[in-house]
């Protein structure tokens, strides 16, 4: 399709269904003197300290039994669009987050009080409901998968609180991961999007919503032609769930994953870096029930290729809860297929309370110097648990020293980290570690794979091997 002569006809048709979303929130003002770049600061004991403290506190009561400062009302403005004539409005969750009151302002400046039907904090979506005496104008979701890089798009919203504003541009890129959440798959556009456009629709030339404008990249805070929209195919599934249940119902496999690097791929015999490596499984979760284990690399899920680590959470989340799916794995140097039945993703609070990881029994052994890697390892003793604040039930082998500039240091290993597995097998002693390293070296492997428990959680770390190791017992 060639460039349009103009967007006036399309804009006239779409503008009535795009609304402004206004939210207000009560904020308790803090007691004490004001602070900021214009308030002078004096060191303790300065002769001017008490003088300025008394001066700045006038009219700003402190905490000495005086009345607290009055609360104030904070207001934010965003955008939204009507998807049902009865009054269902879609917007971003961050537009109404923490709000005491939410209002929707129509194109004719009619203000309607809105109630929140449901919110999705992770996906940054919210569904509102307003009541009107007459049917409201609506727009429809389109198929975002048909949007191609270079296609014309139209953005309508409420930038800077100005009211309904139309901007045009093209689709700049697809499947952008901007590190906003686990399900990032944004459409990038150069249509001008600014503060206040959040929650507004991104239209194709058929007048269908293919995206929800959510974020911009801008050093200045204004549009520089890099805006991001949630694809409609992802949004409409969540919106339907918010309407039905008041919260999103995402599929959940119960795995912690990490990226497959070239070194990781080589260490397990894979030819490329596609897939997501399982760093651990949640106790009682679908993955554990279906015998998925740490060290497996998920290559396909429910018939869809897992191109990288970031693709898996989105694919799983979009799969129906309770569905039986086929999972294609790489395990022990060969392809394996298993079936798994997905659960509904628990809340973050519930996930945090679930114990993850089963450890092997502990076995005593002497300390060992891994000279190739520049680190020293030892059995986990009570002294080392106290020294490095290691959990009481932690099993494995602890790293007690890492040399500056060594291979271990370059890979981010630190004293106190615990080696849980070597080459996807549990280790309970330094001897276990060295035996499995030697076995990899005997097979002419270029690296050995270790599962490391650190302060930030579990992760797999590949360490390069030399042909002849020099592991010794420290003297």
């Amino acid at each position: 399709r060639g460039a349009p002569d103009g967007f006036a006809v399309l804009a006239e048709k779409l503008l009535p269904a795009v609304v402004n979303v206004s939210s207000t929130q009560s904020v308790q003002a803090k007691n004490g003197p004001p602070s900021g770049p214009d308030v002078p600061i004096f060191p303790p004991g300065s002769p001017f300290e008490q003088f300025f403290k008394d001066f700045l506190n006038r009219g700003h009561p402190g905490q000495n039994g005086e009345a607290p400062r009055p609360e104030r009302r904070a207001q934010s403005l965003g955008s939204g669009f009507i998807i049902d004539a009865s009054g269902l409005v879609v917007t971003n969750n961050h537009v109404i987050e923490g709000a005491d009151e939410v209002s929707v302002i129509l194109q004719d400046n009619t203000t309607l009080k809105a109630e929140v039907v449901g919110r999705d904090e992770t996906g940054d979506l919210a569904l509102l409901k307003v009541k009107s005496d007459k049917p409201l104008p609506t727009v429809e979701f389109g198929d975002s998968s048909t949007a191609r890089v270079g296609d014309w798009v139209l953005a309508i919203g409420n930038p800077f609180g100005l009211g309904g504003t139309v901007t045009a541009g093209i689709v700049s890129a697809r499947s952008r991961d901007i590190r906003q959440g686990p399900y990032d798959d944004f459409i990038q556009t150069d249509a001008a999007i600014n503060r206040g456009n959040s929650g507004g629709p991104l239209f194709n030339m058929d007048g269908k919503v293919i995206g929800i404008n959510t974020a911009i990249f801008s050093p200045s805070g204004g549009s520089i032609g890099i805006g991001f929209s949630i694809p409609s195919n992802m949004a409409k599934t969540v919106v339907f769930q918010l309407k039905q249940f008041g919260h999103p119902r995402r599929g959940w496999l119960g795995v912690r994953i990490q990226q497959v690097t070239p070194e990781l791929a080589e260490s397990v015999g894979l030819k490329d870096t596609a897939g997501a490596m399982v760093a651990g499984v949640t106790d009682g979760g679908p993955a554990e029930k279906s015998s998925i284990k740490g060290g497996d690399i998920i290559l396909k899920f429910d018939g869809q290729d897992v191109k990288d680590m970031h693709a898996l959470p989105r694919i799983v989340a979009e799969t129906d809860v309770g569905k039986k799916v086929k999972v294609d794995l790489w395990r022990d140097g060969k392809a394996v297929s298993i079936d798994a039945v997905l659960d509904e993703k628990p809340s973050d609070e519930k996930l945090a309370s679930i114990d993850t990881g089963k450890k092997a029994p502990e076995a005593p052994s002497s300390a060992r110097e891994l000279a190739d890697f520049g680190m020293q390892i030892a059995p986990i003793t009570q002294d080392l648990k106290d020294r490095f604040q290691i959990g009481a039930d932690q099993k494995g082998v602890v790293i007690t020293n890492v040399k500056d500039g060594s291979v271990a240091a370059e890979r981010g290993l630190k004293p106190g980290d615990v080696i849980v597995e070597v080459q996807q097998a549990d280790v309970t002693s330094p001897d276990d570690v060295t035996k499995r390293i030697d076995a990899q070296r005997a097979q002419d492997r270029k690296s050995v794979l270790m599962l490391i428990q650190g302060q930030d959680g579990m992760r797999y770390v590949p360490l390069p091997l030399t042909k002849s190791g020099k592991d010794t017992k420290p003297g």
Side-chain angles (χ1 to χ4, degrees):
R1 180 180 298 182
D5 295 330
F7 302 97
V9 174
L10 190 58
E12 184 178 12
K13 173 187 174 184
L14 300 174
L15 268 166
V18 182
V19 301
N20 299 341
V21 179
S22 172
S23 62
T24 56
Q25 179 180 6
S26 298
V27 180
Q28 182 66 49
K30 294 181 179 180
N31 289 329
S35 61
D38 299 323
V39 178
I41 299 175
F42 298 97
S46 166
F48 295 100
E49 180 188 18
Q50 189 59 46
F51 171 78
F52 273 95
K53 186 181 294 184
D54 293 341
F55 176 78
L56 291 171
N57 268 324
R58 289 188 301 173
H60 303 284
Q63 299 179 354
N64 298 322
E66 302 178 30
R69 297 172 68 182
E71 68 177 16
R72 60 185 178 86
R73 304 287 286 174
Q75 187 175 36
S76 65
L77 293 172
S79 306
F81 54 97
I82 306 170
I83 60 168
D84 189 284
S86 65
L88 289 177
V89 178
V90 176
T91 186
N92 280 138
N93 178 64
H94 75 257
V95 171
I96 56 101
E97 189 169 20
D100 300 320
E101 297 178 4
V102 181
S103 299
V104 167
I105 306 169
L106 307 181
Q107 190 190 22
D108 61 3
N109 287 325
T110 299
T111 300
L112 303 173
K113 187 175 180 180
E115 63 174 292
V116 179
V117 177
R119 299 168 44 206
D120 174 20
E121 296 182 10
T122 306
D124 199 8
L125 290 169
L127 184 64
L128 310 177
K129 173 74 174 177
V130 297
K131 293 182 179 179
S132 175
D133 297 333
K134 56 184 179 181
L136 299 173
T138 64
V139 290
E140 297 178 5
F141 280 117
D143 183 359
S144 57
S145 68
T146 63
R148 301 172 302 168
V149 174
D151 280 348
W152 284 98
V153 288
L154 209 64
I156 303 181
N158 179 28
F160 302 110
L162 295 172
T165 301
V166 181
T167 56
I170 63 170
V171 174
S172 302
R174 295 293 312 271
S175 300
R176 287 297 198 207
D177 181 0
I178 60 174
R179 304 295 191 270
Q180 289 291 307
Y183 313 121
D184 282 13
D185 188 33
F186 289 98
I187 297 172
Q188 182 182 327
T189 179
D190 67 350
I193 295 174
N194 290 284
R195 298 177 190 173
N197 272 111
S198 290
L202 185 72
F203 293 102
N204 61 18
M205 291 299 98
D206 294 325
K208 300 293 180 63
V209 179
I210 61 165
I212 300 173
N213 302 321
T214 298
I216 62 172
F217 174 78
S218 173
S220 65
S223 173
I224 60 171
I226 305 178
F228 301 98
S229 304
I230 300 171
S232 61
N233 286 4
M234 180 184 298
K236 59 188 175 185
T237 301
V238 174
V239 168
F240 174 78
Q241 293 172 348
L242 295 180
K243 181 181 177 181
Q244 292 292 110
F245 310 108
H247 66 276
R249 298 186 77 231
R250 291 191 169 94
W252 179 63
L253 186 59
V255 294
R256 287 177 285 108
I257 57 175
Q258 70 179 78
Q259 188 69 33
V260 180
T261 64
E263 287 180 308
L264 279 174
E266 194 281 332
S267 68
V268 296
L270 266 179
K271 294 181 179 179
D272 56 47
T273 58
M277 173 166 267
V278 178
V281 298
T282 303
D283 287 347
E288 186 188 54
K289 292 176 182 177
S290 60
S291 300
I292 294 175
K293 59 184 181 181
D296 288 345
I297 296 179
I298 299 176
L299 303 175
K300 280 189 176 184
F301 184 89
D302 197 23
Q304 300 185 60
D305 290 330
V306 179
K307 296 179 180 180
D308 55 31
M309 177 188 74
H310 302 292
L312 183 63
R314 177 177 51 80
I315 295 172
V316 174
E318 292 175 354
T319 306
D320 292 338
V321 175
K323 183 178 181 180
K324 185 178 181 179
V325 298
K326 180 182 177 183
V327 185
D328 293 332
L329 307 169
W330 184 260
R331 174 187 292 174
D332 298 331
K334 59 184 178 181
V336 178
S337 293
I338 64 167
D339 292 327
V341 179
L342 299 189
D343 285 348
E344 180 178 348
K345 185 178 184 296
S347 65
D348 292 339
E349 293 79 6
K350 186 174 181 180
L351 278 175
S353 67
I354 298 175
D355 179 30
T356 58
K358 291 181 170 60
K359 308 298 188 299
E362 187 174 0
S365 182
S366 58
R368 188 65 57 90
E369 186 83 27
L370 301 180
D372 278 5
F373 307 138
M375 65 182 184
Q376 184 177 344
I377 59 175
I380 299 178
T381 63
Q382 188 58 51
D383 288 343
L384 291 177
K385 287 180 179 179
D386 296 339
R387 176 182 168 190
F388 294 116
Q389 297 182 333
I390 297 172
D393 60 347
Q394 180 69 60
K395 301 297 187 292
V397 179
V398 66
I399 298 173
T400 56
N401 186 47
V402 175
K403 293 181 180 179
D404 293 339
S406 65
V407 170
E410 290 174 358
R411 294 297 191 274
L413 299 181
K414 301 182 293 292
D417 287 348
V418 176
I419 303 171
V420 180
E421 294 178 1
V422 175
Q423 214 57 36
Q424 302 176 35
D426 292 333
V427 291
T428 60
S429 68
D431 285 341
D432 285 347
V433 174
T434 56
K435 286 177 182 177
R436 292 192 171 95
I437 292 173
D438 290 342
Q440 283 293 99
R441 190 177 283 119
Q443 298 176 34
D444 289 330
R445 292 285 191 180
K446 295 180 181 179
S447 60
V448 62
L449 190 64
M450 295 187 180
L451 178 60
I452 304 296
Q453 173 71 63
Q455 293 293 328
D456 300 327
M458 293 251 213
R459 72 189 192 280
Y460 280 96
V461 178
L463 296 173
L465 289 172
T466 59
K467 289 187 177 180
S468 58
K470 298 179 181 179
D471 304 333
T472 60
K473 295 183 178 181

